[in-house]
C-alpha cells in the first residue's frame, strides 16, 4: 500500500509510502549483488536512503558518515541500503575512488560496505517517492526510510540536495523507535537515550486519576506524565 499522486500537467503517477504502510517490495541490483527488498533482511530494522548522485561532494561526505556508523547500526540490528539513479559501474568506481583518494574530516581509506542500489530506470525511486521534480528533474532528494522488523515504514526524513543529513538524528530515530516499541511509551522533544519517556495519553478518567498517584511516574498534568525507563 502507498499513497499515489498524479502530476496534473503530465498525468504521470508516482507513489510514496506513508508512515504505517508496508514497505513497498522490489528487486534490484546493488554493489553487493541482487537484492530482494525488504525480505532479504529478515527481521532486522532497515534504513533505505537515496542520494542525488555518485561523485558529488555532499554525497561523498554522507557516505563516509554512514560507513563510519555502520557498525553502530549493526549493533542496533539495523541494515543500511543506499540508492541513486546511477549505474552499477558508476557506483563501483565511486566507492573505489572514496577508498583510494578521499580524505575528509579526519577520515581516509574508507570502505563503503553497505549495498548501493542501481536505479537507472528510477523504478525504486518512483516507488518510494524519492524523486521530487521541483527540487531536481533527474536526481533523487536525500530521503531516509526507517523500516521495522515487520517491514512497516516507521519514519521518513527528507533533505534537499544542498544539505547533508544529520547522522546523529538518524541514529536517534532508530533508537527512539526501538525504545518506544520495547517499552510501549512515546518520546518527548529532543529525547535522547537516558532521558525520561512520555506515557501514552490516558483513555479513561480513572486512568488519568490513577497515573498521577503512581510511584515512579512524574506528572505535570494528567496528560503529560513521564517515567524513567
Ligand atoms: C552533492 O552531493 O554535493 C550534490 C549532489 C547533487 C546536487 C547538489 C549537490
Amino acid at each position: 500500500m502507498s499513497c499515489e499522486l498524479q502530476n496534473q500537467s503530465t498525468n504521470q503517477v508516482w507513489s510514496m509510502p506513508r508512515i504505517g504502510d508496508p514497505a513497498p517490495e522490489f528487486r534490484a541490483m546493488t554493489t553487493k549483488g541482487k537484492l530482494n527488498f525488504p525480505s532479504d533482511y529478515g527481521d532486522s530494522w532497515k534504513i533505505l536512503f537515496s542520494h542525488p548522485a555518485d561523485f558529488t561532494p555532499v554525497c561523498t561526505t554522507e557516505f563516509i558518515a554512514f560507513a563510519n556508523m555502520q557498525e553502530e547500526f549493526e549493533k542496533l540490528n539495523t541494515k543500511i541500503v543506499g540508492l541513486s539513479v546511477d549505474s552499477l559501474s558508476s557506483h563501483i568506481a565511486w566507492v573505489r575512488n572514496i577508498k583510494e583518494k578521499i580524505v575528509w574530516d579526519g577520515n581516509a581509506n574508507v570502505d563503503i560496505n553497505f549495498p548501493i542500489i542501481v536505479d537507472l530506470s528510477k523504478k525504486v525511486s518512483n516507488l518510494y517517492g524519492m524523486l521530487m521534480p521541483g527540487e531536481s528533474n533527474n536526481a533523487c532528494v536525500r530521503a531516509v526510510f526507517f523500516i521495522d522488523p515487520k517491514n512497516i515504514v516507521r519514519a521518513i526524513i527528507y533533505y534537499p540536495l544542498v544539505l547533508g543529513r544529520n547522522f546523529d538524528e538518524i541514529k536517534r530515530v532508530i533508537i527512539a523507535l526501538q525504545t518506544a516499541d520495547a517499552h510501549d511509551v512515546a518520546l518527548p522533544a529532543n529525547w535522547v537515550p537516558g532521558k525520561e519517556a512520555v506515557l501514552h495519553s490516558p483513555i479513561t478518567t480513572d486512568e488519568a486519576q490513577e497515573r498521577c498517584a503512581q510511584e515512579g511516574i512524574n506528572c505535570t498534568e494528567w496528560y503529560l506524565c513521564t517515567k524513567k525507563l
Side-chain angles (χ1 to χ4, degrees):
M1 191 174 31
S2 65
C3 174
E4 289 213 332
L5 306 165
Q6 186 162 22
N7 183 320
Q8 297 301 321
S9 48
T10 62
N11 280 339
Q12 190 194 2
V13 176
W14 70 96
S15 60
M16 189 167 189
R18 296 162 297 192
I19 291 175
D21 287 349
E25 295 174 3
F26 62 85
R27 285 174 184 205
M29 183 52 86
T30 81
T31 48
K32 299 288 183 189
K34 285 183 186 155
L35 174 68
N36 279 318
F37 190 88
S39 58
D40 279 356
Y41 293 116
D43 61 3
S44 295
W45 286 76
K46 300 115 194 139
I47 293 177
L48 172 65
F49 77 94
S50 58
H51 72 275
D54 297 347
F55 293 99
T56 52
V58 177
C59 297
T60 302
T61 64
E62 290 191 312
F63 266 54
I64 291 171
F66 255 134
N68 284 343
M69 291 179 77
Q70 192 173 359
E71 213 174 292
E72 288 177 66
F73 284 116
E74 286 289 344
K75 285 184 189 148
L76 293 167
N77 184 30
T78 303
K79 305 286 184 215
I80 301 168
V81 191
L83 171 151
S84 77
V85 297
D86 297 292
S87 67
L88 182 59
S89 50
S90 168
H91 285 341
I92 292 172
W94 183 39
V95 164
R96 287 171 62 90
N97 185 255
I98 290 173
K99 180 162 171 72
E100 288 164 12
K101 297 276 170 60
I102 297 293
V103 179
W104 177 74
D105 202 23
N107 299 281
N109 202 30
V110 176
D111 280 309
I112 306 298
N113 282 325
F114 51 84
I116 313 167
I117 293 166
V118 177
D119 194 32
L120 276 171
S121 69
K122 300 184 177 153
K123 181 184 79 175
V124 181
S125 341
N126 274 314
L127 190 63
Y128 271 82
M130 294 164 165
L131 290 161
M132 301 198 174
E135 178 73 347
S136 169
N137 276 327
N138 45 28
C140 292
V141 296
R142 302 179 197 280
V144 190
F145 289 85
F146 300 83
I147 297 164
D148 74 12
K150 292 182 179 150
N151 294 329
I152 300 297
V153 175
R154 297 291 300 278
I156 306 170
I157 306 179
Y158 285 108
Y159 288 72
L161 269 54
V162 296
L163 177 61
R165 284 161 267 224
N166 181 322
F167 287 80
D168 289 336
E169 174 62 359
I170 291 172
K171 184 176 164 193
R172 188 187 80 104
V173 170
I174 280 285
I175 296 173
L177 291 170
Q178 293 179 350
T179 302
D181 286 1
H183 299 276
D184 193 21
V185 290
L187 290 324
N190 294 324
W191 180 85
V192 286
K195 280 200 170 183
E196 292 202 339
V198 165
L199 272 62
H200 293 299
S201 295
I203 52 170
T204 63
T205 50
D206 286 350
E207 204 190 319
Q209 180 67 27
E210 283 158 18
R211 62 167 43 191
C212 295
Q214 240 174 298
E215 211 171 303
I217 293 182
N218 307 308
C219 294
T220 180
E221 256 299 359
W222 60 272
Y223 62 87
L224 177 47
C225 299
T226 61
K227 69 171 181 183
K228 277 204 169 66
L229 295 176

